[in-house]
Amino acid sequence: MKTIGLIGGMSWESSAQYYRIINEEVKLRLGGLHSAKLILASVDFEEIEKFQSLGKWEEAGELLAHVAKNLEKAGADFIVICTNTMHKVASTIEKAIHIPLLHIADATANEIQQMQLNKIGLLGTKYTMEQDFYKERIRQHGIEILIPGEEARLEVNRIIFEELCLGDIKPPSKDYYLQVIDELIQQGAEGIILGCTEIGLLIKPEDVEVPVFDTTVIHAKNAVTVALD
């Protein structure tokens, strides 16, 4: 079994889900008392969020690249960034290490392709929804991306940072997300990407009439596949 290097803490709420899902999946696949070989480096999300809000992506990339190098030195065989948004600096991290980085958008796109879907709605932070670093990576797999309107993007983003990242799960926020999802479906979305690793705390597949792609679950299970390959 390969050793998984996790860059977590963004937020720790979703990083805890990564740890749980990865270990449950290893137990499911191998049985017995098996659990995952992994190393978790958890950063202070307050520092990362300040870089995000100030547009200091280069500084954020350097910080996470340093974390990735330490994981490599500690024995990790590949790196998993436990967040969608910070894949904006994936190339900076990849340049700093000599081991692979398992990209969350590629893992998600592969799941979408297996279901033969072509047009997908995307929810996430405003950075993930509005900037191209994530959407373009999905498009490279031949998948069209739909995002909510500006007002909805702001509220979806607010709920992520002010509620979900703090573990605050509110029924009215779930209702709002489901309304936004319904609007995307009306625009032709054949499925929905939960493109922030905290959204799965709020929205479950059974809540939505089209396939839901929970990036936390997809990324964590993909990491297990690579670790056991």
Side-chain angles (χ1 to χ4, degrees), residues 51-64:
F51 284 140
Q52 291 177 347
S53 61
L54 294 172
K56 294 187 175 182
W57 296 102
E58 183 176 347
E59 289 88 341
E62 290 172 355
L63 190 159
L64 295 188

Side-chain angles (χ1 to χ4, degrees), residues 4-20 22 38-43 45 48 52 64 67 71 79-87 93 101-104 165 195-199 215-217 219-220 223:
I4 306 168
L6 299 177
I7 303 180
M10 302 171 286
S11 69
W12 72 261
E13 294 282 348
S14 61
S15 301
Q17 298 302 311
Y18 268 87
Y19 186 83
R20 176 184 60 79
I22 287 171
L38 61 81
I39 307 166
L40 170 61
S42 191
V43 302
F45 192 31
I48 299 296
Q52 291 177 347
L64 295 188
V67 174
L71 285 170
I79 298 295
V80 171
I81 312 171
C82 302
T83 169
N84 287 270
T85 299
M86 293 316 296
H87 279 75
I93 296 171
L101 185 151
L102 197 63
H103 202 291
I104 196 168
C165 286
C196 171
T197 52
E198 283 80 26
I199 298 179
T215 52
T216 303
V217 175
H219 203 201

Side-chain angles (χ1 to χ4, degrees), residues 1-220:
M1 188 190 308
K2 295 174 185 173
T3 299
I4 306 168
L6 299 177
I7 303 180
M10 302 171 286
S11 69
W12 72 261
E13 294 282 348
S14 61
S15 301
Q17 298 302 311
Y18 268 87
Y19 186 83
R20 176 184 60 79
I21 294 165
I22 287 171
N23 279 290
E24 286 179 350
E25 192 68 14
V26 168
K27 181 176 69 173
L28 178 66
R29 298 192 195 187
L30 298 183
L33 296 175
H34 283 290
S35 57
K37 292 182 180 179
L38 61 81
I39 307 166
L40 170 61
S42 191
V43 302
D44 181 359
F45 192 31
E46 181 77 12
E47 296 177 10
I48 299 296
E49 193 280 327
K50 285 181 179 177
F51 284 140
Q52 291 177 347
S53 61
L54 294 172
K56 294 187 175 182
W57 296 102
E58 183 176 347
E59 289 88 341
E62 290 172 355
L63 190 159
L64 295 188
H66 177 71
V67 174
K69 285 193 287 187
N70 285 341
L71 285 170
E72 182 177 14
K73 290 177 183 177
D77 292 303
F78 62 97
I79 298 295
V80 171
I81 312 171
C82 302
T83 169
N84 287 270
T85 299
M86 293 316 296
H87 279 75
K88 180 176 173 68
V89 299
S91 61
T92 301
I93 296 171
E94 287 175 318
K95 291 174 184 176
I97 56 179
H98 302 92
I99 56 177
L101 185 151
L102 197 63
H103 202 291
I104 196 168
D106 292 339
T108 302
N110 289 336
E111 289 285 320
I112 295 168
Q113 286 179 316
Q114 287 180 22
M115 297 194 69
Q116 298 182 328
L117 305 180
N118 300 308
K119 186 180 291 188
I120 302 293
L122 171 64
L123 298 183
T125 65
K126 62 181 180 181
Y127 312 108
T128 300
M129 290 187 288
E130 295 176 358
Q131 299 180 21
D132 281 338
F133 70 92
Y134 191 91
K135 293 184 294 184
E136 188 57 36
R137 190 91 176 200
I138 297 288
R139 290 188 187 117
Q140 288 174 5
H141 293 264
I143 300 165
E144 182 180 349
I145 292 292
L146 299 175
I147 61 171
E150 182 178 3
E151 182 179 341
R153 294 199 301 271
L154 290 174
E155 181 62 6
V156 166
N157 183 78
R158 185 199 67 77
I159 290 169
I160 290 169
F161 282 97
E162 295 183 12
E163 298 176 18
L164 302 182
C165 286
L166 301 174
D168 192 1
I169 310 302
K170 296 183 177 181
S173 295
K174 179 172 183 174
D175 292 340
Y176 184 81
Y177 267 55
L178 291 176
Q179 176 187 325
V180 173
I181 288 171
D182 186 62
E183 291 171 357
L184 289 170
I185 293 172
Q186 296 305 315
Q187 294 172 37
E190 301 168 320
I192 301 294
I193 297 174
L194 305 184
C196 171
T197 52
E198 283 80 26
I199 298 179
L201 301 172
L202 188 67
I203 301 297
K204 306 301 179 185
E206 58 268 24
D207 297 326
V208 184
E209 64 184 50
V210 298
V212 168
F213 299 92
D214 186 335
T215 52
T216 303
V217 175
I218 291 169
H219 203 201

